Amino acid sequence: MIRRAEPADAAALARLRWRFKAEDATPPNRPAAKDPATAERWIAERLARADWIAWVAEEDGEVVAHVFLAIVERVPDPYEPNEPLGYLTNFYTVPEHRGRGHGGRLLAAAREYAAARPLETVIVWPSERSEELYRREGFGTPELLLELVEED
């Protein structure tokens, strides 16, 4: 089941966030520098304010996947509609639940939400692992995007 996350889901979302980041940690199995309670508070506050929206996939009442959408306001423009942007992030499915279509359904929920709102566009910085899924779901490479790259 796919549904919109609520502040009461913050503990489950924080646990999955820690699990997500642990999968990609370098070196593997390094201890976390922060407690998941930090993320739990942050997530609950943002979901309550609705400047961040999240969707979850549940199996047997357990959250097994999620995706977040941040609404990014833009400075008012006197000549353009100036709609906000959507920033899609923190897209994760617990490994043992991958391949069951949760990712596609979560992205469909986020896309449906974005289409019903006046969002100018939705952006994402995919990982190598997720790029194929995003492309399959209609995301493409923009003609122009610049990123500040700090030199070492």
Side-chain angles (χ1 to χ4, degrees), residues 20 23 64 92-102 129:
F20 171 30
E23 277 187 37
V64 298
Y92 178 71
T93 301
V94 173
E96 54 271 22
H97 293 273
R98 291 179 184 156
R100 299 181 187 181
H102 296 311
R129 186 172 51 204

Side-chain angles (χ1 to χ4, degrees), residues 2 10 26 28 32 48 69 71 74-75 103 118 134 144 148 150:
I2 304 297
T26 304
L69 178 70
I71 306 302
R74 297 174 58 215
V75 177
Y134 282 116
L144 179 63
L148 178 60
E150 300 288 331

Side-chain angles (χ1 to χ4, degrees), residues 29-103:
N29 301 319
R30 75 177 194 201
K34 296 177 190 164
D35 186 287
T38 303
E40 182 178 344
R41 284 187 301 276
W42 188 95
I43 292 167
E45 289 171 6
R46 268 77 182 172
L47 292 177
R49 290 192 320 231
D51 52 348
W52 283 81
I53 296 98
W55 292 267
V56 298
E58 288 183 320
E59 284 189 16
D60 300 320
E62 177 186 358
V63 175
V64 298
H66 57 71
V67 67
F68 284 68
L69 178 70
I71 306 302
V72 182
E73 291 185 277
R74 297 174 58 215
V75 177
D77 184 320
Y79 306 106
E80 299 294 327
N82 203 217
E83 305 299 353
L85 307 175
Y87 167 50
L88 205 56
T89 188
N90 198 40
F91 181 36
Y92 178 71
T93 301
V94 173
E96 54 271 22
H97 293 273
R98 291 179 184 156
R100 299 181 187 181
H102 296 311

